[in-house]
Amino acid sequence: MAFLTDEQRRSYGTFTVVSDDGQLAGYFLLDRDARRRAIACHGARSQLGYAVQLGTVRFLGTFMDKPEDTPTEVVAYVADQLGHPASVLAGYDAERTRWDHQNAIKDAYGYQDLKGDTWWKLARWLWDRCWSGNERPIALFDLATLHRNCSAPTVSSPCEALTTGCLPASSNTAMRTR
């Protein structure tokens, strides 16, 4: 993980900049299916929480530890689509349903935890990219966080897959970085 700065490690799974209109529309716009799934949740807080978590996993590649820490601009954008005030999200972090929503989002949209076979498939995909391409480790890390709907709970998950995937077969100490 030496290719990540301390700041990059700290900011993984968080918003570091305010989302622009293109990012909001690209990651947080609720299509008919997403809106239907969110509305099926019981209560305004739960509906908004589900929709915010769906957008954050799309945007960040992981679920946030505290969905209420989502920037106000993002929450307002999603809340407006559901016809709720953004303030209804308050208290969502304390509810058990946020974990249920994460599982429902994984099931509905094909997100997989980055472990077991999924981890090995990602490591193999990265190995292929390392040996046939010329991306720098940080670019590969960014690709790993977005690859195949994998939900990486910590920064170490894609880093470990990247390190494993890019190691030469005869070495356990160096990454091929070109």
Side-chain angles (χ1 to χ4, degrees):
M1 292 194 312
F3 57 89
L4 294 178
T5 66
D6 289 340
E7 178 59 28
Q8 288 169 321
R9 277 190 214 92
R10 276 192 305 276
S11 65
Y12 178 77
T14 63
F15 288 83
T16 55
V17 295
V18 174
S19 301
D20 61 30
D21 290 341
Q23 290 171 327
L24 288 172
Y27 297 97
F28 298 95
L29 182 66
L30 301 176
D31 62 15
R32 184 179 306 149
D33 184 57
R35 187 168 163 32
R36 180 185 55 79
R37 290 177 191 276
I39 294 297
C41 296
H42 181 69
R45 177 183 299 138
S46 197
Q47 293 170 2
L48 182 54
Y50 178 96
V52 165
Q53 286 205 87
L54 175 59
T56 57
V57 76
R58 288 174 177 168
F59 184 72
L60 299 173
T62 190
F63 293 100
M64 293 180 63
D65 288 334
K66 297 179 180 179
E68 287 182 65
D69 288 346
T70 303
T72 56
E73 299 86 356
V74 172
V75 175
Y77 182 80
V78 175
D80 187 54
Q81 294 175 70
L82 296 172
H84 300 309
S87 61
V88 301
L89 190 63
Y92 180 73
D93 286 356
E95 293 184 4
R96 165 92 179 113
T97 55
R98 76 185 183 107
W99 304 108
D100 296 336
H101 291 163
Q102 288 179 7
N103 290 329
I105 290 166
K106 288 177 193 177
D107 290 344
Y109 294 94
Y111 285 94
Q112 302 170 29
D113 289 327
L114 191 52
K115 59 184 179 185
D117 287 345
T118 305
W119 187 90
W120 281 108
K121 286 176 185 175
L122 176 61
R124 176 61 188 184
W125 180 80
L126 285 166
W127 187 86
D128 289 344
R129 300 260 333 196
C130 283
W131 291 100
S132 64
N134 63 356
E135 290 109 342
R136 304 289 301 159
I138 190 64
L140 288 169
F141 175 81
D142 289 341
L143 288 170
T145 62
L146 299 173
H147 182 67
R148 294 188 182 157
N149 281 357
C150 294
S151 172
T154 65
V155 70
S156 63
S157 300
C159 284
E160 289 167 2
L162 178 57
T163 303
T164 301
C166 294
L167 287 175
S170 62
S171 170
N172 288 326
T173 59
M175 281 181 48
R176 181 171 183 236
T177 59
R178 284 194 193 201

